[in-house]
């Protein structure tokens, strides 16, 4: 019982890391790029896909077609948190995600993300 309490305390003390991740289809190479303020929650994405409840319809369809074994979850970059009262984690994470979307272009035949029409005007 003490071991259980020790593990629970260790989990609570583990720093929550924010960052960018991708879900990559190893069959056709398509990727889905997104961000999370808590990368420990990636198992929740896997659960969502296994339950058939992902909002990413094409990703969900191919997950159903190819199976969980055909996909890998990869962390692309951790958000470097700055010790400043002006640091806006949510805003910085959004900027980081936009940079990765621009770099990898996971749209159309290359991935599962939807291209933001507002982003092309930058």
């Amino acid at each position: 019982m003490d071991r259980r309490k020790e593990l629970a305390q260790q989990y609570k003390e583990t720093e929550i890391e924010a960052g960018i991740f991708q879900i990559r289809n190893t069959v056709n190479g398509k990727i889905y790029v997104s961000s999370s303020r808590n990368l420990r929650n990636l198992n929740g994405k896997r659960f969502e896909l296994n339950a058939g409840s992902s909002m990413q319809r094409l990703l969900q369809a191919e997950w159903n077609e190819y199976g969980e074994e055909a996909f890998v979850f990869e962390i692309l970059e951790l958000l470097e948190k700055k010790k400043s009262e002006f640091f806006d984690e949510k805003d910085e994470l959004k900027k980081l995600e936009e940079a990765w979307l621009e770099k990898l272009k996971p749209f159309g035949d290359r991935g599962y993300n939807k291209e933001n029409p507002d982003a092309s005007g930058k």
Side-chain angles (χ1 to χ4, degrees):
M1 195 60 134
D2 284 343
R3 178 72 177 145
R4 186 175 178 166
K5 285 182 182 180
E6 182 183 319
L7 289 172
Q9 186 62 35
Q10 186 178 7
Y11 179 81
K12 289 177 187 176
E13 291 174 0
T14 302
E15 187 176 339
I16 295 172
E17 293 184 305
I20 308 302
F21 69 92
Q22 74 177 1
I23 302 171
R24 184 171 45 87
N25 182 328
T26 61
V27 175
N28 61 22
K30 287 184 178 181
I31 58 174
Y32 172 68
V33 176
S34 190
S35 61
S36 175
R37 292 182 76 183
N38 184 353
L39 290 170
R40 291 192 298 192
N41 290 339
L42 288 184
N43 282 335
K45 288 282 184 203
R46 181 176 274 113
F47 178 82
E48 195 178 89
L49 287 160
N50 281 326
S53 61
S54 175
M55 298 301 287
Q56 306 300 327
R57 288 188 286 184
L58 182 56
L59 174 59
Q60 182 68 66
E62 291 194 356
W63 181 278
N64 295 344
E65 180 180 347
Y66 298 117
E68 179 178 355
E69 308 78 36
F71 292 84
V72 291
F73 288 69
E74 301 165 318
I75 295 174
L76 298 174
E77 186 174 354
L78 295 176
L79 178 66
E80 188 178 322
K81 297 180 183 180
K82 297 182 175 54
K83 304 274 190 237
S84 164
E85 62 184 85
F86 303 109
F87 181 71
D88 183 344
E89 179 180 1
K90 192 174 178 181
D91 187 53
E92 291 300 316
L93 196 56
K94 183 180 178 191
K95 289 177 189 174
L96 195 58
E97 181 178 350
E98 288 171 358
W100 276 99
L101 289 170
E102 180 63 30
K103 179 179 180 177
L104 298 177
K105 299 189 184 325
F107 313 112
D109 293 340
R110 296 175 54 116
Y112 304 105
N113 292 79
K114 289 191 166 92
E115 198 160 8
N116 182 353
D118 296 336
S120 60
K122 286 193 219 175

